[in-house]
Amino acid sequence: MRCLPDTLVSTLSRHIPLSNSRLATLAVLVVGLISRTVNLSQVASYFHGPASVASNCRRLQPFFQFPRLDEDWLARTLVALLNLRPAVP
């Protein structure tokens, strides 16, 4: 599961205008949700690198305090990722 956040960052970067750091944080949060946990300590363990889990928890907190995504980003991203097309009448 270690390569999943990197792959997810690569995919999300094409659709969501965030810095690499924020994309990595979003990817780790998505992996945490896939793993069915919202416990920040468990989610923080998915980050790569030598930082401690406590340090990674502190890294996650500002992501929730200062979101900088417009209102439509999720819908546009899902449409693009799922390759959805309008229904033809």
Side-chain angles (χ1 to χ4, degrees), residues 21-44:
S21 175
R22 285 186 123 355
L23 281 169
T25 302
L26 180 60
V28 166
L29 290 170
V30 169
V31 170
L33 291 173
I34 291 169
S35 302
R36 294 182 169 195
T37 186
V38 292
N39 180 309
L40 284 186
S41 295
Q42 290 178 334
V43 172

Side-chain angles (χ1 to χ4, degrees), residues 14 52 69 77 88:
R14 294 186 296 257
S52 69
L69 298 171
T77 301
V88 178

Side-chain angles (χ1 to χ4, degrees), residues 40-88:
L40 284 186
S41 295
Q42 290 178 334
V43 172
S45 69
Y46 292 115
F47 278 105
H48 295 272
S52 69
V53 171
S55 178
N56 286 334
C57 278
R58 286 189 300 275
R59 179 179 174 184
L60 288 167
Q61 292 167 350
F63 188 86
F64 294 108
Q65 290 176 327
F66 307 109
R68 293 185 179 130
L69 298 171
D70 66 74
E71 297 169 355
D72 299 330
W73 75 271
L74 180 59
R76 284 193 313 270
T77 301
L78 288 175
V79 166
L81 291 173
L82 297 173
N83 200 24
L84 298 176
R85 303 281 181 240
V88 178

